[in-house]
Amino acid sequence: MKKKILALALTGTLVLSAGCEYINSKLPKNPPSQREQICAELGRNLVFNSTSVTNIGTGSATQIAQSQRLYAKYHCEDFEKK
């Protein structure tokens, strides 16, 4: 009886550790930096001609120009896929 309980406990531990290992392998290794997050948001705003501040649809010319200046200021072109 003790051997069965020990075997079940060992099996449960192995299954649990294998599950945790699988989940950890799917998580991103390095979370994006603040600069990468800012650049991603600015890039989305420029591509979709919108702003993240307002939900009224398209951004004004001034807002788009501001996004372009910030995109250049943070050197977001460094993150563009080649």
Side-chain angles (χ1 to χ4, degrees):
M1 182 70 172
K2 288 183 182 181
K3 288 183 180 181
K4 285 184 180 180
I5 293 174
L6 183 60
L8 286 174
L10 182 60
T11 303
T13 303
L14 291 174
V15 169
L16 184 59
S17 66
C20 290
E21 178 87 22
Y22 176 77
I23 290 171
N24 285 336
S25 71
K26 298 298 178 187
L27 295 175
K29 301 299 180 216
N30 295 322
S33 67
Q34 185 176 10
R35 181 175 154 224
E36 288 174 307
Q37 292 173 352
I38 290 170
C39 288
E41 184 68 28
L42 289 169
R44 272 192 301 276
N45 291 346
L46 292 171
V47 167
F48 295 109
N49 192 25
S50 64
T51 60
S52 58
V53 179
T54 60
N55 291 329
I56 39 180
T58 61
S60 70
T62 305
Q63 290 169 326
I64 297 302
Q66 179 65 23
S67 292
Q68 289 173 335
R69 282 191 295 276
L70 289 172
Y71 194 83
K73 175 184 174 184
Y74 287 108
H75 302 284
C76 293
E77 63 276 358
D78 295 346
F79 297 115
E80 291 178 6
K81 293 180 181 176
K82 298 185 169 84

